């Protein structure tokens, strides 16, 4: 806690006075090179260098604190970044130099070890927020697709064992607050105040340090799986298949059949493999937004409320029960989602595996063309997920050709489409 001598108020902050770290390492969001943009420094070992709100690692910074408290981690240790650079280049793309295109991640976050090598050698604690590696992906559904003749192994993209060769990217969130505010159509002041209030005052700098424009929020990030050549994603001569998927631990990991999340994810992977085998590329963007970004506890409470209501689980009250418990039907608000697609240099998606109008509108509204929307095949929908599917169709999600129209669904379910 420090007293600001220029006023009578008391400032509680982990940062030094304005004009120190932020001035030494200014961040010029949307600059054309990493050096012009400047490093993102969330170091807690040298507060004088910090030029952002929050700390690296997001929610994992709390586990780091426990490791330090227990004596397992020396807080002064800095990462050795030798040989950690991306295994394949990504960008730079023109979107990186447009401050309005990318506001929720650091486009230069994967190359800090090279771009800022001199400063790092001088002891400045600059850390990557993006990592790019190679991996093999294996899903039982892909093995079944090979056995069923829907996919054929080629020995490069898809192995006879069902292994898929992928480029895997991990992205931590880095929010440029002016850009995030503009994306949601609110003032930066209003955004900062709400962030401060709704986190219980965890980040006083969001209201006391208007000179700091970048925030490292303690939320989950995004994992990207690219099937095929990364360079194909930005090549207008090659086709791109894409699935943007929001986390569903119960279905994605443990196979719960109450929703279509894992089936749609597996379907997206299968279609991405096909596109890559045809000479294009496929991309899966997996966002940590459990339970429509309401969390798993809220999600399970809603399950109980839906199943215990009179008449049982019904499409007519599917979203209403969520709103009753959480106060909102969906907190994902896809405005920030297209940023990762811009980071990859994507300007056109030929096959988009999604029924969500929220995702479609966010992507096309960001200037990325979607040629075809691909619904999940009926045979992949679990029986217990029928209520979810009917509710989503009535809520304005994309309905496949031949399915009842939205007016028919609205009459069947008896709720106004506009509410969703």
């Amino acid at each position: 806690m420090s007293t600001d001598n220029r006023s009578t108020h008391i400032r509680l902050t982990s940062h030094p006075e304005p004009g120190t770290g932020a001035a030494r390492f200014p961040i010029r969001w949307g600059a054309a090179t990493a050096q012009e943009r400047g490093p993102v420094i969330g170091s807690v070992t040298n507060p004088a260098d910090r030029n952002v709100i929050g700390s690296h690692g997001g929610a994992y910074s709390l586990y780091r604190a426990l490791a330090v408290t227990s004596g397992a981690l020396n807080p002064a240790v800095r990462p050795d970044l030798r040989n950690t650079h991306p295994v394949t280049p990504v960008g730079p793309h023109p979107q990186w130099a447009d401050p309005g295109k990318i506001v929720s991640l650091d486009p230069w976050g994967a190359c800090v070890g090279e771009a800022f090598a001199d400063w790092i050698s001088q002891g400045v604690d600059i850390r990557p927020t993006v990592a790019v590696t190679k991996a093999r992906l294996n899903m039982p559904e892909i093995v079944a697709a090979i056995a069923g003749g829907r996919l054929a192994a080629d020995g490069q993209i898809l192995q006879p064992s069902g292994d898929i060769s992928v480029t895997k990217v991990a992205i931590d969130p880095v929010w440029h607050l002016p850009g995030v505010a503009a994306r949601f159509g609110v003032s930066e002041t209003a955004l900062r105040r709400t962030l401060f209030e709704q986190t219980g005052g965890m980040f006083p700098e969001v209201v006391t340090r208007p000179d700091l424009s970048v925030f490292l929020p303690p939320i989950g990030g995004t994992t990207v799986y690219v099937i095929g050549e990364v360079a194909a994603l930005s090549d207008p001569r090659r086709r791109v298949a894409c699935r943007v998927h929001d986390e569903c631990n119960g279905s994605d990991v443990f196979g719960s059949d109450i929703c279509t999340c894992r089936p749609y994810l597996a379907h997206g992977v299968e279609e991405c493999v096909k596109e890559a085998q045809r000479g294009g590329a496929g991309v899966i963007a997996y966002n940590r937004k459990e339970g429509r970004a309401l969390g798993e506890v809220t999600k399970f409470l809603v399950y109980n409320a839906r199943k215990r209501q009179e008449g049982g689980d019904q499409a007519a009250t599917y979203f209403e029960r969520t709103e009753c418990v959480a106060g909102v039907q969906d907190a994902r608000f896809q405005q920030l989602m297209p940023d990762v697609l811009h980071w990859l240099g994507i300007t056109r998606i030929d096959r988009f595996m999604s029924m969500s109008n929220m995702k479609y509108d966010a992507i096309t509204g960001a200037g990325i063309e979607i040629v075809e929307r691909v619904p999940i095949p009926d045979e992949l929908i679990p029986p217990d997920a029928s209520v979810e599917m009917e509710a989503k169709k009535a809520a304005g999600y994309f309905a496949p050709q031949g399915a009842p129209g939205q007016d028919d669904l609205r009459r069947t379910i008896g709720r106004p489409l506009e509410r969703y």
Side-chain angles (χ1 to χ4, degrees), residues 158-182:
L158 180 61
Q159 304 298 323
S161 63
D163 284 356
I164 306 168
S165 297
V166 300
T167 300
K168 186 162 61 172
V169 185
I171 302 174
D172 282 341
V174 178
W175 287 5
H176 182 237
L177 292 176
V180 172

Side-chain angles (χ1 to χ4, degrees), residues 32-333:
T33 68
Q35 291 81 3
E36 291 178 83
R37 204 290 306 280
V40 169
I41 307 176
S43 171
V44 295
T45 59
N46 191 353
D49 289 344
R50 289 167 58 82
N51 61 3
V52 301
I53 302 163
S55 63
H56 286 301
Y60 292 97
S61 63
L62 300 177
Y63 289 105
R64 185 174 65 231
L66 292 178
V68 170
T69 301
S70 67
L73 174 64
N74 181 348
V77 169
R78 292 188 295 112
D80 181 349
L81 298 179
R82 287 176 298 178
N83 296 321
T84 63
H85 58 279
V87 297
T88 187
V90 179
H93 298 292
Q95 295 94 318
W96 294 21
D98 184 336
K101 291 289 188 183
I102 299 177
V103 302
S104 63
L105 61 92
D106 177 6
W108 304 102
C111 60
V112 301
E114 298 74 49
F116 306 115
D118 289 345
W119 279 338
I120 292 173
S121 68
Q122 296 170 31
V124 181
D125 189 4
I126 304 172
R127 306 192 180 197
T129 58
V130 179
V132 184
T133 189
K134 291 284 189 181
R136 291 285 185 94
L137 175 65
N138 190 294
M139 301 176 70
E141 293 89 343
I142 299 302
V143 176
I146 294 174
R150 298 196 309 274
L151 286 176
D154 56 69
Q156 292 184 329
I157 294 169
L158 180 61
Q159 304 298 323
S161 63
D163 284 356
I164 306 168
S165 297
V166 300
T167 300
K168 186 162 61 172
V169 185
I171 302 174
D172 282 341
V174 178
W175 287 5
H176 182 237
L177 292 176
V180 172
R183 195 72 65 84
F184 281 86
V186 300
S187 71
E188 184 183 348
T189 299
L191 172 65
R192 286 174 176 265
R193 183 177 182 85
T194 305
L195 286 172
F196 175 76
E197 292 174 344
Q198 294 301 313
T199 58
M202 283 197 304
F203 300 97
E205 295 83 11
V206 296
V207 291
T208 64
R209 294 296 302 274
D211 59 310
L212 299 176
S213 62
V214 174
F215 176 40
L216 305 182
I219 59 174
T222 300
T223 304
V224 177
Y225 291 88
V226 179
I227 302 172
E229 296 180 10
V230 173
L233 297 174
S234 57
D235 187 342
R237 299 165 299 180
R238 301 170 74 174
R239 288 169 54 87
V240 173
C242 176
R243 166 71 182 167
V244 175
H245 191 89
D246 292 331
E247 178 183 30
C248 178
N249 183 62
S251 178
D252 297 341
V253 178
F254 294 102
S256 168
D257 64 354
I258 197 171
C259 63
T260 58
C261 294
R262 182 179 173 94
Y264 223 144
L265 178 61
H267 172 61
V269 171
E270 182 176 333
E271 294 302 313
C272 285
V273 169
K274 291 177 182 177
E275 204 61 69
Q277 289 179 325
R278 290 191 287 258
V283 59
I284 304 291
Y286 192 92
N287 299 305
R288 298 312 193 283
K289 296 179 180 178
E290 179 65 59
R292 301 197 195 105
L294 297 169
E296 203 164 37
V297 169
T298 296
K299 182 178 182 178
F300 289 3
L301 294 175
V302 172
Y303 285 166
N304 287 345
R306 283 169 47 193
K307 293 178 180 180
R308 287 171 173 164
Q309 65 186 340
E310 185 177 352
D313 198 8
Q314 306 167 46
T317 55
Y318 179 88
F319 288 103
E320 180 185 31
R321 296 312 301 153
T322 302
E323 187 172 5
C324 289
V325 174
V328 65
Q329 295 171 1
D330 195 325
R332 286 174 295 179
F333 304 108

